[in-house]
């Protein structure tokens, strides 16, 4: 390959937050006509580095060159004038406006705002790369992947030809991910420079041309994707060899713990979300729930935890001595007191699960304050719990009194999941436990879930990654459009079979 000049050269880039050095003398080159995957564990400095390129942070030291010329980027506006645009994990869209209004928001164009002309330009961009966007659709009517598309079109509309996407597939279904990848390849072939920050190794292998790895804020190296593999990339990220297979210990004396019969749930606007769903979750087993996003997994877990109104059916909790409790009709606190714990990692981690301005210990207290009966909340046990979660899950934080909003997304997640697992449940309902986590942290969480299984907890696991469901779970319940498409043994299941059952009612009957 002839020596071509990089679109972006970052040299000796350093950035600290208090005592934490997020980036330490990082060198990175980004080329046009190439998709670069930026890899590293949570807190390794990937997002911080890209935030400096996109004008959100300003480096403490170092230089940035664009097309060979040194530049100073002090704001996202400066970045846009250089053709650099970033699409963040958490979208920055105004819900009540249309796609077109969001795309032109804040642009100073000469003359009166011509929305019709803007819509024409948006459609032209969509046609060029294969996006599907209705310029007149309101943001609040959109799915997560449609919102993401609007964010990408927004930066293209502003003239960006160097695009950075932070965890672009974290909340997309496999089908939506394929669509996004097709668009990104079209953009690369058009000569744009694309950087994706991701944790999903198979996506890196499938999509990127080159891989760059950061570890603890240092640049470790880069190589062509074609000449490396998942194992080598993981070892570079973590700094030592990592075993990439998930344990699946045989269940020991499992017995029914939760029996769901003929469960039917409708959304507030009357849409059928769960249609006559029946299954049994056993203690000491992991029951995986597979299905395309939005096919009822969320409603199922929320119905069991008492957060969702049920139209008909029963959910029975079976105690150790044969006693039974009907959960429908109980409030979430009564259900939690039986030991049914819901760890739901939402698409918006800080919106639902944690309070960003509170520190780690106080966020732990949100989970455990009901345990203490005195009017003075017991502050000691949440502190101990916070310390335990930080050490077990290697949460990267200056200390447990750090506000949660100052942690990286993956570290926020570890706090959320650790908090639920530490509540010593008898039934653990967990959804998207490893969403956005690096490979090492994900394996720590799988290990924690397996420890719960060994303690005799009935685990119901909803996950986005089919490969993981097939390796981790003892049984897999497949949902398709709110109906049970089948329950199969995790040990003999194949990805293709589960995929078929997810998209159409087929495969085995729901018999054990």
């Amino acid at each position: 390959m002839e020596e071509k000049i990089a679109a972006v050269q970052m040299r000796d880039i350093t950035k600290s937050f208090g005592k934490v050095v997020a980036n330490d003398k990082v060198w990175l080159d980004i080329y046009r006509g190439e998709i670069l995957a930026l890899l590293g564990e949570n807190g390794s400095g990937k997002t911080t580095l890209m935030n400096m390129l996109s004008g959100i942070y300003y480096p403490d030291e170092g230089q940035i060159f664009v097309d060979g010329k040194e530049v100073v980027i002090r704001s996202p506006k400066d970045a846009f004038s250089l053709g650099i645009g970033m699409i963040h994990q958490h979208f920055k869209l105004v819900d009540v406006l249309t796609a077109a209004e969001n795309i032109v928001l804040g642009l100073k164009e000469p003359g009166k705002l011509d929305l019709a002309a803007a819509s024409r330009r948006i459609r032209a961009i969509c046609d060029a790369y294969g996006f599907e966007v209705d310029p007149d659709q309101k943001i609040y009517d959109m799915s997560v992947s449609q919102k993401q598309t609007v964010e990408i079109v927004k930066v293209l509309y502003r003239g960006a030809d160097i695009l950075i996407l932070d965890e672009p597939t974290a909340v997309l279904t496999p089908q939506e991910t394929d669509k996004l990848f097709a668009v990104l390849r079209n953009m690369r072939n058009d000569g744009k420079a694309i950087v994706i920050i991701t944790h999903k190794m198979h996506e890196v292998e499938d999509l990127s041309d080159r891989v760059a790895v950061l570890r603890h804020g240092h640049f470790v190296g880069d190589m062509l994707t074609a000449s490396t593999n998942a194992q080598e990339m993981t070892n570079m990220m973590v700094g030592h060899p990592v075993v990439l297979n998930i344990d699946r210990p045989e269940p020991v004396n499992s017995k029914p713990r939760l029996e769901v019969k003929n469960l039917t749930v409708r959304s507030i606007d009357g849409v059928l979300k769960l249609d006559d769903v029946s299954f049994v979750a056993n203690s000491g087993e992991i029951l995986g729930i597979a299905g395309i996003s939005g096919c009822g997994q969320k409603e199922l877990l929320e119905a069991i935890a008492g957060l969702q109104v049920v139209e008909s059916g029963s959910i029975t909790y079976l105690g150790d001595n044969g006693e039974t409790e009907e959960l429908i009709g109980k409030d979430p606190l009564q259900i939690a007191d039986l030991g049914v714990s819901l760890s739901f990692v939402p698409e918006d981690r800080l919106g639902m699960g944690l309070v960003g301005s509170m520190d780690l210990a106080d966020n732990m207290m949100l989970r455990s304050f009901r345990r203490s009966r005195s009017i003075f909340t017991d502050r000691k046990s949440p502190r101990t719990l916070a310390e335990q979660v930080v050490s077990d899950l290697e949460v990267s934080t200056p200390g447990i009194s750090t506000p949660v909003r100052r942690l990286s997304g993956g570290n926020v997640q570890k706090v959320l999941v650790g908090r639920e697992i530490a509540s010593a449940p008898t039934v653990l309902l967990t959804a998207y436990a490893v969403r956005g986590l690096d490979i090492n942290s994900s394996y720590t969480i799988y290990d924690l879930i397996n420890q719960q299984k060994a303690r005799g907890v009935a685990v119901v696991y909803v996950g986005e990654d089919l490969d993981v469901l097939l390796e981790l779970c003892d049984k897999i319940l497949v949902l398709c459009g709110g109906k049970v498409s089948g329950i199969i043994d995790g040990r003999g299941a194949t990805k293709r079979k589960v995929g078929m059952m997810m998209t159409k009612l087929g495969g085995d009957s729901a018999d054990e």
Side-chain angles (χ1 to χ4, degrees):
M1 203 163 66
E2 84 281 6
E3 192 57 39
K4 55 177 181 174
I5 189 155
V8 174
Q9 295 161 300
M10 302 182 87
R11 296 290 177 262
D12 288 326
I13 296 290
T14 300
K15 180 73 181 168
S16 302
F17 298 96
K19 289 185 189 146
V20 177
V21 181
N23 291 132
D24 192 355
K25 296 193 166 37
V26 173
W27 281 53
L28 184 69
D29 290 339
I30 301 168
Y31 293 93
R32 287 200 171 81
E34 178 181 82
I35 295 175
L36 172 71
L38 190 56
L39 289 179
E41 294 188 88
N42 296 119
S44 62
K46 310 176 298 288
T47 305
T48 302
L49 186 66
M50 291 298 106
N51 277 339
M52 286 187 275
L53 190 53
S54 64
I56 288 171
Y57 296 148
Y58 189 70
D60 299 340
E61 40 189 275
Q63 298 162 289
I64 298 175
F65 299 86
V66 173
D67 294 326
K69 289 199 266 303
E70 187 171 353
V71 297
V72 174
I73 304 174
R74 289 191 179 274
S75 68
K77 196 161 163 273
D78 289 351
F80 269 123
S81 67
L82 296 163
I84 300 166
M86 182 160 171
I87 293 93
H88 297 270
Q89 267 182 17
H90 301 286
F91 306 139
K92 296 167 170 56
L93 298 168
V94 182
D95 260 8
V96 293
L97 299 181
T98 63
E101 288 164 342
N102 268 283
I103 287 166
V104 298
L105 194 64
L107 275 180
K108 291 191 169 49
E109 294 194 335
K112 203 162 127 272
L113 173 61
D114 183 351
L115 262 181
S119 293
R120 283 195 295 278
R121 223 177 109 195
I122 290 164
R123 287 201 168 92
I125 291 172
C126 293
D127 292 346
Y129 299 113
F131 288 110
E132 293 168 20
V133 170
D134 172 2
D136 304 323
Q137 190 177 1
K138 297 269 199 222
I139 300 297
Y140 60 71
D141 277 337
M142 292 188 179
S143 69
V144 176
S145 82
Q146 288 173 305
K147 289 179 190 173
Q148 183 186 55
T149 306
V150 173
E151 287 280 20
I152 299 173
V153 173
K154 190 164 89 178
V155 301
L156 290 173
Y157 190 93
R158 283 161 165 69
D161 62 355
I162 299 163
L163 281 90
I164 305 155
L165 295 98
D166 190 1
E167 297 280 346
T169 64
V171 293
L172 301 186
T173 66
Q175 290 82 347
E176 290 167 342
T177 298
D178 291 344
K179 260 194 202 161
L180 173 68
F181 284 4
V183 169
L184 293 178
R185 289 188 188 102
N186 291 341
M187 284 160 52
R188 171 196 62 196
N189 298 343
D190 191 36
K192 298 203 180 307
I194 296 170
V195 182
I196 62 161
I197 299 174
T198 180
H199 293 302
K200 299 181 181 175
M201 287 303 180
H202 53 274
E203 290 184 359
V204 173
E205 294 176 313
D206 185 25
L207 180 69
S208 67
D209 302 298
R210 194 163 55 94
V211 178
V213 181
L214 293 182
R215 184 165 75 233
H216 302 317
H218 295 267
F219 174 71
V220 198
D222 66 341
M223 55 259 174
L224 293 174
T225 312
S227 57
T228 184
N229 58 41
Q231 185 67 60
E232 193 183 355
M233 291 188 272
T234 306
N235 296 353
M236 275 179 82
M237 269 166 40
V238 180
H240 55 80
V242 176
V243 180
L244 291 182
N245 50 13
I246 300 172
D247 279 344
R248 177 162 40 199
E250 285 293 331
V252 181
N253 76 42
S254 61
K255 46 183 186 282
R257 174 71 72 204
L258 196 67
E259 193 172 351
V260 173
K261 274 192 183 156
N262 312 114
L263 187 67
T264 299
V265 169
R266 283 183 196 277
S267 63
I268 299 166
D269 48 7
V271 178
L272 194 60
K273 288 292 187 181
L274 291 174
D275 185 359
D276 199 26
V277 169
S278 299
F279 65 90
V280 174
N282 294 324
S283 61
E285 279 187 10
I286 299 175
L287 172 68
I289 310 280
I292 296 168
S293 177
C295 72
Q297 309 99 311
K298 178 170 182 272
E299 288 76 12
L300 177 60
L301 295 197
E302 289 183 348
I304 297 170
L307 298 167
Q308 175 73 257
V309 179
V310 171
E311 183 172 295
S312 60
S314 69
I315 303 171
T316 312
Y317 177 86
L318 303 126
D320 284 328
N321 307 320
E323 72 278 17
T324 62
E325 298 260 7
E326 175 54 50
L327 299 191
I328 295 174
K330 284 188 164 44
D331 68 35
L333 285 181
Q334 293 167 318
I335 292 174
D337 284 342
L338 285 170
V340 178
S341 166
L342 172 64
S343 163
F344 196 98
V345 174
E347 289 174 3
D348 173 10
R349 289 182 276 230
L350 280 178
M352 257 177 74
L354 300 163
V355 180
S357 55
M358 282 166 51
D359 70 16
L360 287 175
D362 286 347
N363 269 292
M364 293 296 165
M365 199 168 72
L366 291 177
R367 186 78 185 77
S368 58
F369 73 92
R370 297 197 309 272
R371 301 254 158 89
S372 73
R373 295 282 176 252
S374 80
I375 54 168
F376 298 106
T377 311
D378 168 15
R379 291 190 76 96
K380 189 165 137 287
S381 54
R383 283 196 85 75
T384 323
L385 185 55
E387 279 157 3
Q388 184 195 333
V389 168
V390 165
S391 85
D392 286 359
L393 292 182
E394 298 173 4
V395 175
S396 172
T397 169
I400 62 168
S401 48
T402 304
V404 163
R405 65 158 185 274
R406 286 186 41 203
L407 301 183
S408 74
N411 283 305
V412 167
Q413 174 126 346
K414 292 182 190 177
V415 174
L416 255 177
V417 176
R419 183 179 73 179
E420 299 307 320
I421 289 177
S423 70
T426 53
V427 177
L428 176 65
L429 309 169
T430 174
Y432 314 118
V434 297
R435 176 182 272 166
L437 286 186
D438 61 63
I439 200 151
N440 215 18
S441 310
S442 301
Y443 279 76
T444 311
I445 300 255
Y446 303 143
D447 197 42
L448 278 173
I449 289 173
N450 270 326
Q451 286 172 28
Q452 297 299 305
K453 167 179 162 178
R455 283 190 39 236
V457 175
V459 180
V460 180
Y461 179 91
V462 173
E464 288 150 315
D465 192 329
L466 264 187
D467 296 295
V468 171
L469 278 172
L470 294 171
E471 273 190 75
L472 180 71
C473 301
D474 298 295
K475 295 199 183 88
I476 298 173
L477 168 91
V478 186
L479 283 176
C480 175
K483 280 184 186 300
V484 176
S485 184
I487 296 174
I488 54 178
D489 193 320
R491 283 167 179 77
T494 64
K495 196 168 170 179
R496 193 168 169 275
K497 180 169 186 184
V498 176
M500 294 269 293
M501 291 167 71
M502 277 164 61
T503 46
K504 64 176 182 12
L505 284 171
D508 302 0
S509 67
D511 304 329
E512 287 303 285

